[in-house]
């Protein structure tokens, strides 16, 4: 999951996306930290937090496709 987040961040999103979504960097930072923590955890809540963070990024991604 972490790898896929980094590919999106480094290869897809552009400065104009960041201008339109000023908290995008923070969302990616939080999601990658959650991905690292979820990999070490067996707590379902940890996994749900990661899914919620990824969903926020996905909404922004799909909005850029419109």
């Amino acid at each position: 999951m972490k790898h896929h987040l980094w590919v999106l961040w480094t290869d897809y999103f552009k400065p104009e996306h960041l201008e339109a979504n000023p908290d995008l960097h923070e969302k990616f930072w939080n999601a990658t930290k959650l991905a690292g923590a979820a990999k070490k955890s067996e707590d379902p809540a940890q996994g749900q937090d990661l899914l919620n963070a990824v969903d926020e990024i996905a909404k922004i991604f799909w909005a850029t496709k419109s």
Side-chain angles (χ1 to χ4, degrees):
M1 175 75 67
K2 200 172 185 179
H3 169 76
H4 299 291
L5 287 166
W6 280 114
V7 169
L8 268 178
W9 182 237
T10 59
D11 294 348
Y12 176 76
F13 285 104
K14 296 175 176 51
E16 58 267 21
H17 299 134
L18 190 57
E19 288 175 19
N21 302 279
D23 61 344
L24 189 58
H25 177 77
E26 184 176 344
K27 288 183 185 299
F28 269 96
W29 188 85
N30 288 332
T32 56
K33 293 296 179 186
L34 287 169
K39 187 166 62 170
K40 301 173 196 168
S41 176
E42 294 182 17
D43 182 5
Q46 187 80 40
Q48 188 60 53
D49 289 344
L50 173 58
L51 290 174
N52 293 342
V54 169
D55 189 46
E56 288 181 29
I57 293 169
K59 288 176 186 172
I60 294 169
F61 171 82
W62 287 112
T64 68
K65 294 292 198 174
S66 302

